[in-house]
Amino acid sequence: MGKVYLVGAGCGALELYTVKAMKCIKEADCLIYDQLVDKQILHYCQESCEQIYVGKIAHRHTLPQDQINELLAEKAMQYDCVVRLKGGDVYVFGRGGEEGAYLYDHGIDFEVVPGVSSAIGGLAYAGIPVTHRGLSGGFQVCTGVLRQGEEREFDFSTMLDDYTTYIFLMSMAKKEKIVAGFLKAGKDPQTGCAIVSHASMPNQKCVIATLGTILEKFELNPVPMPGIIVVGNSVKMHEKLNFFERKPLFGRHILVTAVGHDHYLRDTLSDLGADVKEIMTGQIVYLDPVIPQIKDNLVFTSRHGVIGFIKAYTKQYHDVRKLHGVRIVAIGKKTNQALNEFGLNADYVSVYGHGEGLNKELKQFVKDEELFVVQGDVTAVTMKHQKIQVYKNKETAIEDINDFFDYACFTCASSVHRILQQTHMCANTFVSMGPATTRAINDCYPDSYILEMDKPDKAKMIDCILKGEMECFIEEDD
């Protein structure tokens, strides 16, 4: 019999998951998850992990709670590690207590992994502290949802303390009733009031007002569920503490493509506030080729080539020092850094950092000598050479995206073609890693606006986007 982990996913953002939560997810044999869980977390599961969606939307439940309880027990009999992943905290209106009690009654071992409740973390991302000296000395959290068929009645006469923050989860449909109840009970109409939608997520939206004006403001600027309603004087701190919506790329919808496990673009752009959609267009599969005796010149056109070559070379020759006397060329600094990790250093590093520039440079110093090129499926080197293919970029299935992005970042030409073949995306601005990628974008998306990097550097791609945003801001400001 296995063990069940009741895990709180936190208030939304992936970076707010606890270390323990991530450990459980990565080790899970079976993951049973809710509606309010960011689906990108599924990428962290093992390939063999069974993933079961049991999400609940108002008046529409995939599985009733008693069947979820039974499912947990059933999967615990089948697997060693079962993770029940719930939005927010397990015990803050998450029915974690019911699930834990059911498992206990059936003799099944379980453990609780707390999460950051949206009542605290979500409001923090909206710039609203639940307590603040001089404004709020405590907080009360309520839910608008009870058992099916039961109506939630609030006693607003007990919620008149101006030094308490009142928080309502799952209560968006009752906002008129909540506001009317406070006012009827005698709450000052000037008391701060806010509705926060999709807290901590890149599509977060806030309606900030007073108890007397919140409904009117909501009508002018409606926000979707799920949402949090908060009443209290600490709402007035929003203007100063709203760090999240002040991030430079907040509100921008950006597509990034990735091959392998490098998530630098996704993680960095997300840290800058962007709503990032990462698409895995390929997977690096290292091969086991026979490496010939290397003479004269050895060219590496990617860090994957370095890794694959060293794996194959050391298996065959045991010692990279046998490359002594061979002139090593790297297409750019990142490729040379990969060589450095294995105790090698390029004799020449291309100043261009892309295939077209490398070809120009090779013609200058490679005459009648032999030229060996370490590559994947294709190479940018056009000179006569001996190919050493050490990896392949295996195409992966891509979900169809019928969406518009402010920016679409492509790091290689193959990603452009794969995205075009399998999706219907479009973008205002394309960000290209280099000339070959730009040509692919022009072929697939004619007349597009393209920002091309002068050197293949992901940090420069991000700087380019930030610079473009700043220029747009200045133009709008003018």
Side-chain angles (χ1 to χ4, degrees), residues 122-123 125-128 172 193-208 214 217-218 220-230 238 242 244-245 250-252 275:
L123 291 184
Y125 265 66
I128 301 172
M172 288 274 281
C193 185
I195 298 176
V196 182
S197 169
H198 290 93
S200 84
M201 300 299 288
N203 56 340
Q204 173 180 296
K205 294 185 184 300
C206 301
V207 180
I208 306 296
I214 187 66
K217 270 207 167 185
F218 182 88
L220 295 174
N221 299 285
V223 296
M225 292 191 283
I228 307 168
I229 300 172
V230 55
H238 166 82
N242 185 24
F244 186 45
E245 295 179 30
F250 181 81
R252 295 305 188 194
D275 179 7

Side-chain angles (χ1 to χ4, degrees), residues 290-347:
V290 174
I291 306 295
Q293 289 284 347
I294 308 295
K295 296 186 295 182
D296 300 331
N297 299 284
L298 180 61
V299 179
F300 291 93
T301 57
S302 71
R303 63 182 302 275
H304 296 302
V306 173
I307 296 168
F309 178 84
I310 296 298
K311 283 165 65 85
Y313 190 86
T314 53
K315 179 180 178 181
Q316 188 172 333
Y317 295 102
H318 308 296
D319 194 340
V320 294
R321 288 178 295 182
K322 291 182 179 180
L323 291 171
H324 176 71
V326 176
R327 179 162 51 182
I328 298 177
V329 179
I331 196 170
K333 290 182 179 179
K334 293 292 176 66
T335 302
N336 191 39
Q337 287 172 3
L339 285 166
N340 296 161
E341 292 173 9
F342 294 100
L344 297 173
N345 190 55
D347 298 286

Side-chain angles (χ1 to χ4, degrees), residues 3-8 20 23-25 27-28 32 72 80-86 90 99 103 109-113:
K3 182 174 182 177
V4 177
Y5 291 87
L6 305 176
V7 179
K20 181 66 176 287
K23 180 177 183 292
C24 291
I25 291 164
E27 295 178 356
I32 301 170
L72 291 174
D80 291 330
C81 179
V82 177
V83 171
R84 171 71 171 108
L85 188 61
K86 311 164 78 66
V90 175
E99 293 169 355
L103 293 170
D109 190 18
F110 74 92
E111 184 174 331
V112 172
V113 180

Side-chain angles (χ1 to χ4, degrees), residues 343-360:
L344 297 173
N345 190 55
D347 298 286
Y348 184 81
V349 179
S350 170
V351 296
Y352 293 96
H354 54 69
E356 292 186 2
L358 178 62
N359 281 314
K360 294 177 184 178

